[in-house]
Amino acid sequence: MRRNRRHLSIGFIAAAALVAAGCDDPQTNATSAERAAAVAAYQSAFAPAINAVQAGSPAGAPSGINPMTCSAGSVDLTFEANSLSIVNYYRQQTGLPPVTLNSGLSQTAQEAAMVHLRRQVSSVGGNPHDPFGSGNPCVSSTSDPGHVGAANSNLSWGATTGSSTPGRANGPRGVEGQMRDNGANNTLVGHRRAITSPTLTQVGSGSAAWLDTSGGTYNGWYQTTNALYWIDSNWPTATRDPDTTYVAWPPAGWSPDEVIYPRWSFAPNADARDVDFSGTTITMEAEGQVVPVTNVYVRDYTGGGLTIPDDVIVWEPDLTGVSNMAWDGDDHMELTGSDRFIRVNLFNVVVDGVSTDHTYWVVVMDADQF
């Protein structure tokens, strides 16, 4: 069954990739095993984790949290294992190796989630990744764990009306929102690029929730947050996966509509200093028709030092002409009926001075039919 929609402020088997210029059309060359593998990955990894609720805790967050007294409580690693499942679902669907959950980073992330919650409850302004500089009362210095965690993590926030349902931004749902990366400040999908970085080896995850009694907009609601700690000493100098040419979302192959988002992205598995998108163009086709490509955003780093995450090109396809496909109010695809086959072409992607064209198929499945 499909999970409930929500709003956020910000071993699996991957389907066989349909990649490379001149690839076979999956409409005539698909195998039942490839599609079945994609369905199995979704059912075994994504669906159970996204609906996880922490027993006995408000809105699925650990006990002992009080942002008004700056108490973060202790991270619940059993619950945050669901966050890791979501991270690794996305990674393995793109062909990347899984990462591990680091308990120490997770406790620091727990502190960051509490600090981010205080920011929302008390309407603290400024940069959420710089709580000390923003005057967050739960941070006393830049070495405070809450500040360190916020500076090195993806951050999510949301609100939910009930304490017995999964929090809208905590744990696995927070990670899903980071991968979706909606909002005007996220056009370069930096949170998504962090989750699917080819050099990422480990993460930490912490979540917080608090019943708002302020009398404001969210009075009587549980405000929820997640911090996914991903910038550590192993990154960005870790060895890149040699079997990965690029990271695209949605990926080549079969994906349920539940994880298809308005912003599509393509990032070569290469140091940003070696990537050039200045002459890159994108075209798309579906059902024998051209799919218009709109709102193209490029992150094309030209500096001299290492930078994080990798370069990316992002676009928003206009899929209104594809039958039985529409976006819901929470930036998720809604497909009704049979699979839809969408061809993506990127021309003149330059890596290390060499221009390459990339063609792959994205096959969208209706998750309600699983």
Side-chain angles (χ1 to χ4, degrees):
M1 180 178 293
R2 179 169 300 190
R3 57 180 169 76
N4 294 329
R5 303 297 193 187
R6 71 257 177 240
H7 176 71
L8 298 176
S9 61
I10 48 179
F12 317 132
I13 304 174
L18 306 167
V19 297
C23 66
D24 291 336
D25 184 343
Q27 297 177 85
T28 57
N29 293 280
T31 71
S32 59
E34 292 168 347
R35 188 182 190 280
V39 172
Y42 174 80
Q43 291 179 324
S44 64
F46 187 92
I50 204 69
N51 287 310
V53 180
Q54 189 175 41
S57 298
S63 59
I65 295 171
N66 187 337
M68 306 314 295
T69 61
C70 300
S71 174
S74 297
V75 66
D76 185 338
L77 293 176
T78 300
F79 176 68
E80 295 300 347
N82 294 290
S83 305
L84 181 68
S85 291
I86 299 298
V87 169
N88 282 334
Y89 169 80
Y90 288 122
R91 289 181 62 82
Q92 295 196 12
Q93 289 303 101
T94 64
L96 291 168
V99 297
T100 59
L101 187 67
N102 182 293
S103 59
L105 295 182
S106 293
Q107 184 57 46
T108 303
Q110 181 69 27
E111 296 283 345
M114 180 276 296
V115 167
H116 193 45
L117 185 59
R118 178 61 184 266
R119 178 181 188 270
Q120 301 298 334
V121 172
S122 299
S123 300
V124 178
N127 182 354
H129 297 284
D130 180 19
F132 177 72
S134 301
N136 191 302
C138 288
V139 173
S140 58
S141 71
T142 56
S143 61
D144 187 296
H147 179 90
V148 173
N152 292 284
S153 298
N154 288 352
L155 299 172
S156 296
W157 167 86
T160 184
T161 55
S163 63
S164 61
T165 57
R168 289 177 178 257
N170 69 316
R173 290 181 175 243
V175 174
E176 191 272 346
Q178 295 159 18
M179 191 70 182
R180 180 156 37 102
D181 242 0
N182 62 331
N185 294 328
N186 299 319
T187 55
L188 294 179
V189 296
H191 306 91
R192 178 187 299 176
R193 287 185 289 142
I195 292 170
T196 57
S197 167
T199 59
L200 191 66
T201 60
Q202 61 180 349
V203 296
S205 186
S207 301
W210 180 252
L211 179 61
D212 190 335
T213 58
S214 66
T217 302
Y218 296 101
N219 185 65
W221 290 46
Y222 281 96
Q223 296 207 42
T224 58
T225 57
N226 171 261
L228 185 74
Y229 195 121
W230 61 275
I231 303 177
D232 68 2
S233 59
N234 295 322
W235 202 95
T237 57
T239 302
R240 292 179 178 273
D241 177 26
D243 296 325
T244 301
T245 303
Y246 61 81
V247 176
W249 197 267
W254 281 261
S255 292
D257 56 352
E258 192 73 352
V259 297
I260 304 294
Y261 311 122
R263 287 178 178 150
W264 294 36
S265 58
F266 179 97
N269 181 19
D271 188 313
R273 295 170 294 183
D274 300 325
V275 176
D276 182 4
F277 285 122
S278 61
T280 301
T281 57
I282 305 167
T283 63
M284 295 176 62
E285 306 138 32
E287 299 180 338
Q289 302 181 28
V290 172
V291 173
V293 174
T294 67
N295 298 331
V296 178
Y297 307 98
V298 175
R299 198 269 195 174
D300 209 352
Y301 179 73
T302 58
L306 287 172
T307 180
I308 52 178
D310 292 337
D311 273 356
V312 68
I313 188 167
V314 181
W315 67 98
E316 298 176 8
D318 181 357
L319 297 170
T320 55
V322 183
S323 58
N324 300 324
M325 294 183 73
W327 299 113
D328 74 356
D330 245 351
D331 289 339
H332 298 83
M333 173 56 65
E334 286 277 12
L335 169 65
T336 303
S338 59
D339 297 352
R340 292 294 179 268
F341 299 80
I342 303 172
R343 185 182 177 105
V344 180
N345 309 292
L346 291 100
F347 302 103
N348 194 27
V349 177
V350 178
V351 178
D352 287 330
V354 178
S355 174
T356 304
D357 299 336
H358 298 272
T359 294
Y360 56 94
W361 289 85
V362 172
V363 188
V364 185
M365 305 178 291
D366 181 358
D368 283 339
Q369 296 190 359
F370 295 171

